[in-house]
Amino acid sequence: MELNPSELTPVINRLKRAQGQLAAVTRMLVEGRDCKDVVTQLAAVSKALDRAGFAIIATGLEQCIVQKDATMDKKDLEKLFLSLA
């Protein structure tokens, strides 16, 4: 199943923000910042990545339903979904 890139623009933007957040976490560690601040930012990165993954799966599910994609069955979609859990 190929995803339509135009439908994923918000996901791409979210991933770019997460990339910037992750770079900030690295800088914070190098600078010796407070553990609480570092973990808070790391949790934000993790949440952004999870949301991006769920959005990708939701888009894929929608495409499978609308287009009757035979390349992905229920078991494959369930495995993708659970990989983010």
Side-chain angles (χ1 to χ4, degrees), residues 28-46:
M28 292 171 77
L29 289 170
V30 169
E31 294 169 358
R33 299 277 298 270
D34 183 66
C35 177
K36 183 179 175 184
D37 294 338
V38 173
V39 171
T40 299
Q41 286 302 312
L42 192 56
V45 173
S46 179

Side-chain angles (χ1 to χ4, degrees), residues 3 6 9 11 20 32 36 40-41 43-44 49 53 57 60 69-70 73 76 81 83-84:
L3 298 171
S6 65
T9 300
V11 175
K36 183 179 175 184
T40 299
Q41 286 302 312
L49 293 175
I57 291 172
D69 188 339
D73 64 10
D76 292 329
F81 183 77
S83 71
L84 295 174

Side-chain angles (χ1 to χ4, degrees), residues 4-73:
N4 183 346
S6 65
E7 293 181 20
L8 295 173
T9 300
V11 175
I12 293 166
N13 291 338
R14 183 184 304 263
L15 289 172
K16 287 179 181 179
R17 279 193 307 274
Q19 188 175 23
Q21 287 176 306
L22 186 56
V25 169
T26 303
R27 277 194 309 275
M28 292 171 77
L29 289 170
V30 169
E31 294 169 358
R33 299 277 298 270
D34 183 66
C35 177
K36 183 179 175 184
D37 294 338
V38 173
V39 171
T40 299
Q41 286 302 312
L42 192 56
V45 173
S46 179
K47 188 172 183 177
L49 293 175
D50 287 344
R51 287 180 177 252
F54 288 128
I56 291 167
I57 291 172
T59 301
L61 284 172
E62 182 180 41
Q63 283 184 259
C64 285
I65 292 168
V66 171
Q67 299 173 1
K68 305 284 187 209
D69 188 339
T71 62
M72 295 287 286
D73 64 10

